[in-house]
């Protein structure tokens, strides 16, 4: 029985199609070695294959009868090479899983191998593995390349050991340097001597990138970094710990949340009538085991999470798995914590892109091997876990832009989730207080079923919204107008809390050189550098370029600067001048929430009322619940309204309503002040009355008129070339012609290529070409033609972004 995978007599007549997990990511055909029975090979296994003079790893996509291949006259004479070995005894991926990814690969116009490679943790696609066999003696290890060149007899012996269960442990040579994580323990300014340049470089590196392993640090800063690391860890500025401790770290963060009481809406065991009605309908739908898609529109504080929890329980009872997605890691951890309190016995897997490769690998394996129904909570990348039987996928805060991945593999989590529920006959539930206008339109067209929770749990009312005119404020005035300051003081005097939202981090967004009459800019991105006071540096928010400041102007060497504008860091500082000295202010933005657990600490401290005011970027508009907040101030509403993006108003509307949702969630009434110079904008009436359908109607009419989604399909071809390459501009004209010519025969509107709003990034000039069409296929066609006729492949980079979320 144990030898059943070995072949004795039957000829092997199957051909394997394998997707390569390394460049060029193509799908190739291989024959199967005669030593194994055909059943040894399974679709979804990771396999070792010969290519050129080396070996590679691939995923077995299909097994086809030889006749099917040889009937094709073109390939008749090709002699195929044998696969070498299989890395998995069972399929690692199910056929359904592969079908979903193949569909995605068609949509994104990328080879399936490239998609698999970008979703698999490094350890699962590395060819630096060893095959280990036990022969009653010391285990013997072979590299994969050695396997390729064994003579038939040795190969057969290995196969026999493998078949009898004496082999198969495959391990990666883990570089010990990769397994030590170094992380910052203190925020800037750091108390090190200015002459300690190496220490400062290391601190800056960790500040910009978060925890890094020692190998990356050495690669970036050289071996001397070890000395600095030693010194800084003695000082307690940096901690070095084993990378596998990440699970423990997540537990640490969880502990911070545990001190925060559950939202009333989650802790209540009684459902409200509205919740019960929605839950009943959705449960009925789950019971049919038919694919279905729903939108849950629940106003802020209406208890959407409770609906999720009830459905999750129901789905698990059916023996099917659940994926619950949040727009960011902190919210995912919070959700996991809430859920764990409600279901203490249930094992819940947390999954997100910031986990170490080692941890991600172990989660991938765990999910692939699981027999029981699982609960996964995480961010968008969790959809790529190889779950066997998903029954329910929930996207909370579905309107959030973070569900679209912009860099690397460009995909929209909602579309991927939709494809998964189609494949598995599962349910997709999108939830939001401010749905995406496309989702809203889909409910009108019957592609999503709409459910509503129109009231706050506990009968709380939505806050009153008022506009504050800031047209008279000059750049050197403080950013808070008088009425806002007064409202803030009044709130604090009543012993209540306030949040102030300013979507601009740092101290001063512009450092103006009086001599040059120009702001200092990033040399790689042509974007003004932001001054960060605590770090004593100016920083590019696009590429991270930074240097110590004050320093002479890079152009004229003068030291005559004027800072302009106000970021969160400055706002925090100027508030302490306005408010009584005993008032505590907390700040939450990407700068001071860089260290793991820091964001949770800040939010938890605010929830415990250790401060009266919380200042922050849009991070704080998302899903947090503070019962004593009765005032929310949006410090500069125009920042978002003026963005060069067709969704600027929609996004701003969502942000305002979400920010308003932070106020008055407890028993006390709330108030929202929105500071703007744009008092006549049409969105205000709808913001004030939180009239979603009214806003959507107006916005949809505008989109229809301007031919924007959801009335057309929109795509961006992103082109870029090195700044120093002068012929680049000519080349862009050439592409304009190529695209236009191709578009003539298809029904596609082509705009550009024109310089992107962010026209330079990381030393490259950026151009965008906007395509509008009814048919996605036509858009892909135009991209393909450009790709194939690119005469400057080494200079011009080209990406297709379907339904772009980021227009910059
Ligand atoms: Zn830059
Ligand atoms: Zn200057």
């Amino acid at each position: 029985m144990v030898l059943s995978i070995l072949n004795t007599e039957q000829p092997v007549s199957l051909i394997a199609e394998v997707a390569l997990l390394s460049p060029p990511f193509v799908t190739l055909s291989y024959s199967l070695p005669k030593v194994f029975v055909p059943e040894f090979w399974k679709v979804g296994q990771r396999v070792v294959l010969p290519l050129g003079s080396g070996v590679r790893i691939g995923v077995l996509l299909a097994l086809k009868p030889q006749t099917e291949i040889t009937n094709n006259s073109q390939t008749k004479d090709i002699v195929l090479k044998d696969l070498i070995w299989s890395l998995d005894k069972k399929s690692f991926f199910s056929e359904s899983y592969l079908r979903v990814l193949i569909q995605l690969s068609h949509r994104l116009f990328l080879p399936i191998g490239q998609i698999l490679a970008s979703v698999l943790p490094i350890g699962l696609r590395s060819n630096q593995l060893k095959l280990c066999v036990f022969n009653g003696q010391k285990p013997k290890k072979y590299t994969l390349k050695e396997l390729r060149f064994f003579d038939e007899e040795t190969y057969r012996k290995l196969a026999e050991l493998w078949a009898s269960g004496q082999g198969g442990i495959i391990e990666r040579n883990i570089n010990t340097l990769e397994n030590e994580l170094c992380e910052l323990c203190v925020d800037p300014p750091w108390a090190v001597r200015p002459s300690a340049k190496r220490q400062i470089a290391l601190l800056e590196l960790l500040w910009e990138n978060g925890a890094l392993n020692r190998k990356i640090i050495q690669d970036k800063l050289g071996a001397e970094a070890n000395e600095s690391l030693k010194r800084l860890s003695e000082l307690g500025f940096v901690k070095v710990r084993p990378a596998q401790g990440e699970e423990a770290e997540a537990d640490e963060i969880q502990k911070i949340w545990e001190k925060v009481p559950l939202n009333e809406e989650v802790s209540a065991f009684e459902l409200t009538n509205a919740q019960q009605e929605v839950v009943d309908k959705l449960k009925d739908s789950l019971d049919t085991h038919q694919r279905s898609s729903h939108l849950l529109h629940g106003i802020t504080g209406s208890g959407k999470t409770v609906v999720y929890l009830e459905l999750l329980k129901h789905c698990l009872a059916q023996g099917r798995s659940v994926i619950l997605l949040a727009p960011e890691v902190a919210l995912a951890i919070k959700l996991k914590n809430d859920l764990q309190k409600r279901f203490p016995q249930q094992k819940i897997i947390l999954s997100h892109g910031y986990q170490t490769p080692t941890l991600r690998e172990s989660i991938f394996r765990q999910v692939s091997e699981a027999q029981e129904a699982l609960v996964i909570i995480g961010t968008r990348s969790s959809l790529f876990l190889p779950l066997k039987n998903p029954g329910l996928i929930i996207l909370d805060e579905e309107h959030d832009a973070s569900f679209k991945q912009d860099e690397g593999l460009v995909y929209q989590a909602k579309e991927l989730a939709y494809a998964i529920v189609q494949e598995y006959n599962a349910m997709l539930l999108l939830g939001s207080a401010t749905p995406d206008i496309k989702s809203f339109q889909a409910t009108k067209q019957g592609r999503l079923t709409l459910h509503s929770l129109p009231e706050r749990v506990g009968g709380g009312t939505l806050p009153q919204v008022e506009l504050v005119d800031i047209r008279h404020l000059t750049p050197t005035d403080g950013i808070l107008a008088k009425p806002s300051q007064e409202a803030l003081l009044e709130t604090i005097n009543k012993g209540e809390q306030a949040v102030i939202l300013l979507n601009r981090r740092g101290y001063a967004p512009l450092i103006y050189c009086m001599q040059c009459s120009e702001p200092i800019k990033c040399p790689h991105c042509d974007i003004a550098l932001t001054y960060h006071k605590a770090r004593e540096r100016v920083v590019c928010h696009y590429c991270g370029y930074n240097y110590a400041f004050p320093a002479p102007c890079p152009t004229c060497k003068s030291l005559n600067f004027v800072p302009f504008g106000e970021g969160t860091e400055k706002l925090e500082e100027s508030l302490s001048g306005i408010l009584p000295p005993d008032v505590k202010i907390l700040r939450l933005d990407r700068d001071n929430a860089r260290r793991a657990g820091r964001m949770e600490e800040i939010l938890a401290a605010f929830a415990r009322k250790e401060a009266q005011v919380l200042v922050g970027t849009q991070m704080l508009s998302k899903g947090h619940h503070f019962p004593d907040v009765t005032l929310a101030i949006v410090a500069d509403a125009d920042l978002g309204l003026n963005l060069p993006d067709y969704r600027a108003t929609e996004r701003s509307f969502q942000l305002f309503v979400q920010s308003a949702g932070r106020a008055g969630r407890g028993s006390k009434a709330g108030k929202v002040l929105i500071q703007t110079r744009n008092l006549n904008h049409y969105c205000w009436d709808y913001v004030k009355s939180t009239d979603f359908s009214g806003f959507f109607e107006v916005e949809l009419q505008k989109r229809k008129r301007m031919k924007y989604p959801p009335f057309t399909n929109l795509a961006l071809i992103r082109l870029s070339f090195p700044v120093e390459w002068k012929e680049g501009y000519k080349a862009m004209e050439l592409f304009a012609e190529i695209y236009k010519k191709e578009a003539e025969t298809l029904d596609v509107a082509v705009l550009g290529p024109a310089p992107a709003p962010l026209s330079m990034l990381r030393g490259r000039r950026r151009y965008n070409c906007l395509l509008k069409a009814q048919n996605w296929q036509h858009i892909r066609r135009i991209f393909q033609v450009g790709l194939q006729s690119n005469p400057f492949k080494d200079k011009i980079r080209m990406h297709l972004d379907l339904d772009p979320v980021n227009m910059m």
Side-chain angles (χ1 to χ4, degrees), residues 240-528:
V240 184
R241 60 175 177 83
Q244 283 93 337
E246 187 120 359
E247 192 106 47
E249 181 193 299
D251 288 346
E252 284 297 310
I253 294 174
Q254 192 124 357
K255 275 190 206 125
I256 303 171
W257 281 126
E258 272 157 21
K259 293 177 214 141
V260 181
L262 268 183
N263 301 353
E264 298 109 81
E265 54 205 66
V266 180
S267 57
F269 281 80
E270 285 278 304
L271 296 187
T272 64
N273 287 342
Q275 286 170 338
Q276 188 67 56
E277 201 177 305
V278 172
V279 167
D280 287 345
K281 277 194 199 144
L282 289 170
K283 274 186 184 170
D284 286 348
S285 180
L286 262 180
D287 285 339
T288 63
H289 288 252
Q290 300 286 319
R291 56 187 80 152
S292 66
S293 306
H294 309 261
L295 173 66
L296 175 58
H297 177 202
I299 63 163
T300 51
S302 63
K304 291 185 292 294
T305 317
V306 181
V307 174
Y308 303 157
L309 298 192
E310 290 295 316
L311 283 177
L312 180 141
K313 209 164 63 179
H314 196 71
C315 186
L316 284 176
Q318 292 179 343
R320 296 197 285 171
S321 298
V322 180
I323 308 178
L324 177 48
L325 297 186
E328 59 177 59
V329 179
L331 289 173
I333 296 176
K334 176 82 170 78
L335 266 174
K336 179 177 179 229
N337 191 54
D338 289 356
L339 215 74
Q340 201 76 73
K341 280 186 187 160
R342 282 293 296 270
F343 310 121
Q345 305 303 322
Q346 177 65 44
K347 180 169 169 47
I348 301 168
I349 297 173
L350 181 71
S351 151
H352 57 80
Y354 294 104
Q355 291 167 325
T356 57
T358 323
L359 180 61
R360 288 186 58 227
E361 182 179 336
S362 99
I363 293 173
F364 254 82
R365 287 187 188 280
Q366 201 182 336
V367 171
S368 167
E369 286 157 16
Q371 298 302 318
E372 73 282 14
L374 299 174
V375 176
I376 294 169
I377 296 187
T379 50
R380 61 185 181 222
S381 59
S382 314
L383 288 176
F384 289 110
L385 289 173
L387 261 187
K388 297 231 168 52
N389 54 348
L392 172 64
I393 302 179
I394 303 169
L395 271 84
D396 192 24
E397 311 287 340
E398 67 95 28
H399 62 279
D400 199 280
S402 70
F403 285 117
K404 171 83 187 266
Q405 173 152 314
D406 278 333
E407 287 189 12
L409 191 64
V410 176
Y411 69 94
Q412 167 58 263
K414 275 184 262 185
E415 272 163 20
L416 182 58
Y418 186 77
I420 297 172
V421 305
Q422 298 298 304
E423 175 68 32
Y424 292 89
N425 283 321
M427 174 189 278
L428 173 63
L429 177 60
L430 307 176
S432 175
T434 52
D436 188 323
I437 208 159
K438 283 181 79 179
S439 308
F440 182 75
Q441 177 75 351
T443 64
K444 293 188 11 185
Q445 295 166 336
R447 286 179 290 125
L448 287 173
T449 310
L450 180 65
H451 308 266
S452 303
L453 295 174
E455 275 158 25
R456 282 191 163 181
V457 170
T461 49
L462 285 171
Q464 177 196 350
V465 179
E466 285 169 27
L467 298 183
V468 176
D469 185 354
I470 52 167
R471 277 176 298 187
H472 60 279
L473 294 182
T474 66
T476 43
D477 288 334
I479 201 166
L480 285 191
K482 264 268 152 337
S484 305
Q485 293 186 17
E486 282 159 10
L488 189 58
L489 274 169
E490 196 189 315
T491 304
I492 288 163
N493 289 338
K494 279 194 286 188
E496 294 164 1
Q497 289 178 298
V499 294
I500 307 178
L501 185 122
L502 176 60
N503 224 349
R504 190 164 54 197
R505 60 198 179 87
Y507 190 81
L510 282 183
I511 295 290
Y512 209 76
C513 170
M514 295 307 278
Q515 196 109 335
C516 302
S517 307
E518 278 218 28
I520 47 175
K521 287 180 172 177
C522 172
H524 311 290
C525 307
D526 206 27
I527 285 283

Side-chain angles (χ1 to χ4, degrees), residues 84-260:
I84 300 174
W85 210 269
S86 165
L87 295 180
D88 306 307
K89 293 192 171 172
K90 290 181 192 161
S91 298
F92 195 84
F93 302 109
S94 68
E95 293 194 32
S96 290
Y97 178 91
L98 290 175
R99 265 198 296 275
V100 169
L101 288 205
I102 288 169
Q103 206 184 325
L104 183 68
S105 83
H106 293 320
R107 179 166 164 78
L108 301 183
F109 214 78
L110 290 171
I112 172 75
Q114 190 174 347
I115 292 187
L116 282 163
S118 39
V119 304
L120 279 179
I122 174 83
L124 292 173
R125 57 189 154 88
S126 160
N127 60 1
Q128 304 300 307
L129 301 166
K130 282 187 182 164
L131 178 68
C132 198
V133 285
F134 303 90
N135 198 2
Q137 307 138 19
K138 217 171 111 194
K140 267 190 146 168
K141 290 179 188 168
Y142 303 100
T143 66
L144 300 183
K145 198 161 175 182
E146 278 175 294
L147 288 180
R148 177 176 177 179
F149 297 106
F150 279 143
D151 58 72
E152 223 181 299
E153 203 192 314
T154 322
Y155 186 81
R156 176 168 280 274
K157 266 198 193 125
L158 270 181
E160 277 169 17
L161 286 168
W162 177 275
S164 63
Q166 287 172 281
I169 299 166
I170 292 171
E171 56 183 33
R172 186 161 79 104
N173 285 336
I174 294 173
N175 187 334
T176 51
L177 294 179
E178 282 178 29
N179 260 357
E180 276 182 335
L181 266 191
C182 309
E183 64 185 6
L184 267 183
C185 306
V186 282
D187 285 342
W190 299 293
V192 291
R193 283 174 295 110
S195 57
K197 291 235 159 55
R198 281 185 191 137
Q199 291 180 19
I200 294 173
L202 178 58
L203 288 165
E204 284 292 335
L205 183 73
L206 292 175
W207 181 250
E208 277 297 327
N209 298 284
L212 293 176
N213 69 45
R214 201 187 274 263
K215 179 165 185 309
I216 297 177
I217 292 175
Q218 283 189 18
D219 290 350
K220 298 224 176 202
L221 303 177
E224 303 89 64
N226 282 327
E227 193 54 40
S228 320
L229 202 54
K230 192 166 155 256
R231 180 78 193 113
L232 289 171
S233 61
E234 284 164 5
L235 288 169
F237 291 178
V238 174
K239 187 169 78 185
V240 184
R241 60 175 177 83
Q244 283 93 337
E246 187 120 359
E247 192 106 47
E249 181 193 299
D251 288 346
E252 284 297 310
I253 294 174
Q254 192 124 357
K255 275 190 206 125
I256 303 171
W257 281 126
E258 272 157 21
K259 293 177 214 141
V260 181

Side-chain angles (χ1 to χ4, degrees), residues 513 515-516 553 555-558:
C513 170
Q515 196 109 335
C516 302
C553 166
T555 317
C556 71
K557 307 287 174 238
S558 102

